[in-house]
Amino acid sequence: MRGPAAPTSPGPWDSHSEALLRTKALTTEEPAAPPSAGLPGGQADTGARPRPDAAPRPARRGPADPVKALMHRHRELCERAVDALEIAAGLEAHGVTDRTAARFRHRDVFSLAEELYVRVPRGDEPPARPARDTGARAGWAGWTLRALAPGAVAVLAAAGLALTEGPVRLAVGAAGVLGLAVALAVAVRRGPLRAAGRTVPAARVWTLWLLAYAVGGDGLLHETLTGGPDETWDLALGPLVALALAVAPAAWCAHLFATRARRRLAASRGLEEFAAGTRPLLLVTVALHTAVVAALLSLTGFTYGTLALGALLLLARLLTVHGFPETAANGLAAACAAEALAVATVLAGRIPGLDILAEPVRTLSDQWGPGALPALVCGAAAAGLLARATVALSRASAHANP
């Protein structure tokens, strides 16, 4: 039998093949990274390897200071603001909401405004607060006396007209109209009813038209419906006296609304919270003024048209004072156009074949009297302005310092 094969020594060809294989393995092996590769500062590799169970560190997204860009964008607003509330109102006017503030790592606009107010430099001394005519700081006695002036002039003019006749009565009436216009201009130039630079010039024309219709519109409509006017119709001075006396309560109601809204703005921590608290305040203000006008009308001659006109004028002035003069002017213009159109349709109904045009106004007057037309028109316009005001005046931007 053949025994186990003896180990054979490698031949020359086998040694040469093994050497070639080793050389190929060395040349195809990946080069080792230098000791300082991938390490910050060129530190040497100590051989430590990251733990397999260690979670990867999330990459940081977005800018490190998201408020900085917003601060530069609204730098002028932040520099001239006297407190953080003005910045919050300005941001809200530019469309920044609480949801937008959350993207800047703040819970609401007020918190974001506080950071902007603190971070924006204003020099060595804070800017002086501009003089304000509204509020107790300017002296409520001054603007209260000015607001009482239209009522005083109207009462004196009405007494003069009652005690005079003929040309003297005409002169007294002209002087009374001129004095009342001056007193109204003075009353709205100071105090809570002031709206410098925010008025629409045409709004004065619409207001004068509505006041003139309150004095003589019902008589004109009655004469037109009965085939006239053939002669001068009676003028009702009671509504004008009541509205003139209501200027002072209107100023106090506007002051109450502005002051309470400003306090609520300081205490609120969100735009929705502020809006929810401001809407009832507006409704209470309008209701309070309407009740005062009703009480004054009970002394001078109550008419629903004058009551609705008082609410319309207050809402129009509030919208103008708080930065919405176009809306106020549109509401007044709509009321004027409706009253003028009503009288025009009655006159057009006299044309043969156009009798149907006068039927709506004639039916309304026959059922409720000529005073139903201004009550309906001014009431509808006041309702429209109230609906707009509940949205516009519940914004923080409507209560920023002028």
Side-chain angles (χ1 to χ4, degrees), residues 219-245:
L220 174 62
L221 182 62
H222 176 72
E223 291 291 331
T224 305
L225 289 172
T226 55
D230 298 327
E231 57 185 13
T232 304
W233 59 92
D234 295 334
L235 302 179
L237 298 178
L240 184 61
V241 173
L243 291 175
L245 291 172

Side-chain angles (χ1 to χ4, degrees), residues 173-234:
V177 171
L178 180 60
L180 183 58
V182 173
L184 285 173
V186 171
V188 299
R189 286 176 64 88
R190 296 290 185 271
L193 298 179
R194 179 175 182 268
R198 301 182 181 182
T199 59
V200 176
R204 300 187 183 95
V205 179
W206 312 140
T207 303
L208 291 176
W209 168 276
L210 292 173
L211 293 176
Y213 192 94
V215 173
D218 292 347
L220 174 62
L221 182 62
H222 176 72
E223 291 291 331
T224 305
L225 289 172
T226 55
D230 298 327
E231 57 185 13
T232 304
W233 59 92
D234 295 334

Side-chain angles (χ1 to χ4, degrees), residues 90-126:
L91 293 177
E92 192 264 352
H94 285 85
V96 179
T97 63
D98 291 339
R99 181 176 299 179
T100 308
R103 290 187 298 214
F104 294 95
R105 305 173 187 174
H106 283 273
R107 63 181 180 274
D108 50 43
V109 175
F110 295 91
S111 175
L112 177 60
E114 289 174 358
E115 180 179 349
L116 291 175
Y117 182 74
V118 172
R119 293 182 58 179
V120 174
R122 292 174 182 79
D124 298 335
E125 296 181 359

Side-chain angles (χ1 to χ4, degrees), residues 286-377:
V286 175
L288 178 61
H289 181 262
T290 304
V292 173
V293 174
L296 293 174
L297 286 173
S298 65
L299 301 175
T300 61
F302 186 88
T303 59
Y304 288 101
T306 308
L307 184 65
L309 178 58
L312 174 61
L313 293 177
L314 175 68
L315 288 167
R317 198 62 191 177
L318 287 178
L319 285 168
T320 302
V321 169
H322 292 279
F324 301 93
E326 293 82 6
T327 303
N330 291 337
L332 297 175
C336 293
E339 291 178 346
L341 181 62
V343 178
T345 54
V346 175
L347 294 175
R350 299 178 181 180
I351 301 175
L354 298 180
D355 299 345
I356 192 174
L357 294 178
E359 284 304 318
V361 178
R362 188 181 302 277
T363 302
L364 181 65
S365 180
D366 292 341
Q367 293 291 331
W368 304 98
L373 175 65
L376 180 62
V377 170

Side-chain angles (χ1 to χ4, degrees), residues 77 80-90 117 127-135 137 194 198 258-259 262-263 265 321-322 396-402:
L77 168 66
R80 58 185 173 85
V82 297
D83 53 25
L85 296 180
E86 291 191 22
I87 299 179
Y117 182 74
R129 180 181 290 272
R132 300 181 63 193
D133 293 317
T134 58
R137 296 182 181 180
R194 179 175 182 268
R198 301 182 181 182
T259 304
R262 188 70 181 175
R263 292 178 182 175
L265 181 62
V321 169
H322 292 279
S397 55
H399 304 277
N401 287 335

Side-chain angles (χ1 to χ4, degrees), residues 41-53:
Q43 299 176 0
D45 188 5
T46 58
R49 296 292 184 267
R51 295 172 52 188
D53 56 343

